[in-house]
Amino acid sequence: MPKFYARRRLSILAALTGLIASVGLLNGPTASAALPTPVSAATARTYLASLTVKAENRTGYDRDLFPTWITISGTCNTREYILKRDGSNVVTDSACASTSGSWYSPYDGATWTAASDLDIDHLVPLAEAWDSGASAWTTAARQGFANDITRPQLIAVTDNVNQSKSDKDPAEWMPSVTSYRCTYVRAWVQVKYYYGLSVDSAEKTALTSYLAAC
């Protein structure tokens, strides 16, 4: 085959490949959650090794002991702030409520166009925090934890997935999107380490296993 025609066929193939890739991008998730990037797997493994291992104790837990949602900026409370952060083309009204936009839930891979279909997940659940040390905190400290927009602790996800997760730790529940699990456990360990929270033995075993695969 003449080199000219060979090159022409290759250029046509490259163009088609680029077109297919573009179509894939257009058909992919329209938004991705903007969870603050957690520490690396290596750092998470170091953090995990330093966490205290002890049995959990839920005595006295009450969700109201973790005040949510507080004002973050202007008229926006924590939920509204995370919805704006994690969505794409989010439009809000004068009260900061999201009236339109698109949200991709990394736990289950679903995309939503109504804010009412999303919950703001506390990656380390409030009850889990209570069980592992937050029972000794002041209410102000628990409020800070419940509204932490700096650490990888709050993320917009499909509401019924968040409800299914409830207060489970990684030994009991993990995102169904397996490619997100490394991010999830890195974030989990970072939050627990930052707040000086303990882990139970099953939780540490699960975290160790997941981090080994990161």
Side-chain angles (χ1 to χ4, degrees):
M1 180 186 296
K3 290 183 179 179
F4 171 77
Y5 290 108
R7 286 196 300 270
R8 186 177 180 184
R9 288 181 114 182
L10 286 172
S11 64
I12 292 171
L13 178 60
L16 286 171
T17 301
L19 178 61
I20 291 168
S22 297
V23 171
L25 287 173
L26 289 173
N27 290 336
T30 55
S32 57
L35 184 77
T37 303
V39 296
S40 68
T43 299
R45 286 190 286 268
T46 299
Y47 284 178
L48 179 59
S50 73
L51 296 183
T52 299
V53 179
K54 61 186 295 186
E56 296 179 348
N57 183 353
R58 191 158 299 184
T59 302
Y61 171 70
D62 187 327
R63 186 181 175 87
D64 291 343
L65 293 170
F66 292 81
T68 58
W69 302 110
I70 63 171
T71 300
I72 298 295
S73 176
T75 60
C76 300
N77 66 22
T78 314
R79 171 181 166 82
E80 293 156 350
Y81 176 91
I82 298 298
L83 284 172
K84 289 177 68 176
R85 185 198 72 183
D86 289 2
S88 177
N89 300 317
V90 176
V91 176
T92 58
D93 62 20
S94 59
C96 202
S98 297
T99 56
S100 65
S102 179
W103 292 267
Y104 174 72
S105 169
Y107 288 2
D108 58 332
T111 298
W112 302 98
T113 56
S116 58
D117 288 320
L118 296 132
D119 279 354
I120 306 304
D121 180 43
H122 290 93
L123 196 134
V124 174
L126 303 182
E128 168 70 24
W130 177 273
D131 297 349
S132 50
S135 59
W137 297 352
T138 63
T139 299
R142 288 191 288 266
Q143 175 176 288
F145 177 84
N147 299 275
D148 187 349
I149 60 173
T150 303
R151 261 64 52 181
Q153 164 65 350
L154 296 172
I155 185 169
V157 298
T158 303
D159 54 4
N160 60 2
V161 171
N162 182 53
Q163 291 152 24
S164 175
K165 171 188 170 180
S166 186
D167 55 12
K168 300 179 180 71
D169 70 28
E172 304 161 314
W173 186 93
M174 285 291 285
S176 61
V177 175
T178 56
S179 61
Y180 196 71
R181 291 178 177 178
C182 183
T183 300
Y184 186 83
V185 294
R186 285 158 46 213
W188 183 283
V189 172
Q190 179 180 345
V191 170
K192 283 227 158 176
Y193 177 83
Y194 179 84
Y195 284 98
L197 298 170
S198 62
V199 290
D200 64 37
S201 58
E203 178 187 353
K204 182 170 184 178
T205 297
L207 290 167
T208 300
S209 177
Y210 285 116
L211 285 171
C214 287

